[in-house]
Amino acid sequence: QVQLVESGGGLVQAGGSLRLSCAASGRSYSGYTMGWFRQGPGKEREFVACITWGGGFTNYADSVKGRFIISRDSAKNLVYLQMNSLKPEDTAVYYCAGGRQYLGVSADEYDYWGQGTQVTVSS
């Protein structure tokens, strides 16, 4: 059974940092791209960052470039999202996803999704 489980969300002040984790299980993710998406209040789900499981190639949304870092630990089947210099507009539910499209940026390019973790940034 494929399962993606996010953790690490919480409440943080603007300018602070959080690290999200995604534990991936249930299949081999070789050849997959792992992505982070977010959905803020009243907004559509949007792409944040993604990384290829094998080569570690990355892609970021312009809104987070230079502040967020995506990484993975293939041995532990974990994907991370280090979020720095957080802003109130980063407040959202963050989702981990897996798909076969190379560095996909659209939600419909991902086959597997976690349940999400809430990140709230106070001003």
Side-chain angles (χ1 to χ4, degrees), residues 48-88:
V48 175
C50 62
I51 186 168
T52 59
W53 194 264
F57 298 101
T58 60
N59 191 19
Y60 294 90
D62 288 343
S63 59
V64 306
K65 204 170 291 183
R67 300 188 298 124
F68 291 10
I69 301 171
I70 189 171
S71 62
R72 87 273 184 256
D73 184 332
S74 300
K76 296 182 179 179
N77 273 17
L78 289 169
V79 182
Y80 302 104
L81 185 68
Q82 177 67 44
M83 305 186 295
N84 301 319
S85 301
L86 283 161
K87 305 175 181 179

Side-chain angles (χ1 to χ4, degrees), residues 83-123:
M83 305 186 295
N84 301 319
S85 301
L86 283 161
K87 305 175 181 179
E89 51 263 45
D90 294 318
T91 294
V93 177
Y94 283 72
Y95 298 90
C96 176
R100 295 197 65 87
Q101 176 63 42
Y102 180 78
L103 294 178
V105 299
S106 175
D108 59 11
E109 293 173 324
Y110 288 81
D111 303 310
Y112 307 114
W113 292 84
Q115 81 290 347
T117 186
Q118 177 71 46
V119 171
T120 303
V121 184
S122 64
S123 56

Side-chain angles (χ1 to χ4, degrees), residues 1-86:
Q1 178 184 358
V2 173
Q3 197 170 20
L4 300 176
V5 180
E6 304 94 337
S7 61
L11 174 64
V12 64
Q13 288 189 332
S17 298
L18 279 177
R19 189 178 79 160
L20 305 183
S21 299
C22 172
S25 61
R27 65 160 298 128
S28 168
Y29 290 90
S30 175
Y32 269 66
T33 288
M34 306 301 293
W36 286 96
F37 286 77
R38 66 187 182 187
Q39 188 165 14
K43 298 181 181 179
E44 295 188 354
R45 191 170 297 192
E46 64 173 356
F47 168 75
V48 175
C50 62
I51 186 168
T52 59
W53 194 264
F57 298 101
T58 60
N59 191 19
Y60 294 90
D62 288 343
S63 59
V64 306
K65 204 170 291 183
R67 300 188 298 124
F68 291 10
I69 301 171
I70 189 171
S71 62
R72 87 273 184 256
D73 184 332
S74 300
K76 296 182 179 179
N77 273 17
L78 289 169
V79 182
Y80 302 104
L81 185 68
Q82 177 67 44
M83 305 186 295
N84 301 319
S85 301
L86 283 161

